[in-house]
């Protein structure tokens, strides 16, 4: 689960809550129109790039230091 807050100027901040864990991981990013990018984590970071439309984020994610990207659709819960 992600909790995101959209601030003025296109700044996005929040937390990722991994399923089954009481911990949280910081999220920073930005939004420009329907385009959105998020960095999840600190040292072992995921980068998400996508489009925000009708409350959904559709795009791709890749992990720092790994090959390949994953497609995803995130919906409000």
């Amino acid at each position: 689960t992600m909790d995101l807050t959209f601030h003025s100027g296109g700044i996005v901040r929040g937390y990722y809550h991994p399923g089954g864990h009481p911990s949280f991981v910081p999220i920073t990013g930005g939004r420009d129109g329907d385009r959105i990018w998020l960095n999840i984590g600190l040292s072992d970071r995921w980068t998400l790039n996508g489009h925000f439309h009708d409350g959904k984020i559709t795009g791709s994610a890749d992990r720092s230091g790994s090959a390949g990207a994953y497609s995803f659709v995130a919906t409000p819960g």
Side-chain angles (χ1 to χ4, degrees):
T1 303
M2 289 189 295
D3 293 319
L4 300 176
T5 303
F6 297 87
H7 299 276
S8 62
I11 296 171
V12 179
R13 296 193 193 272
Y15 295 98
Y16 167 62
H17 307 277
H21 300 282
S23 63
F24 58 89
V25 179
I27 297 174
T28 59
R31 181 176 175 193
D32 184 13
D34 72 339
R35 204 172 132 247
I36 188 167
W37 54 96
L38 303 172
N39 294 309
I40 301 174
L42 299 172
S43 59
D44 189 21
R45 181 170 58 184
W46 283 87
T47 301
L48 282 65
N49 291 292
H51 290 87
F52 189 79
H53 183 69
D54 291 335
K56 296 179 188 176
I57 301 173
T58 304
S60 64
D62 59 55
R63 190 174 189 173
S64 58
S66 69
Y70 300 89
S71 296
F72 73 91
V73 175
T75 57

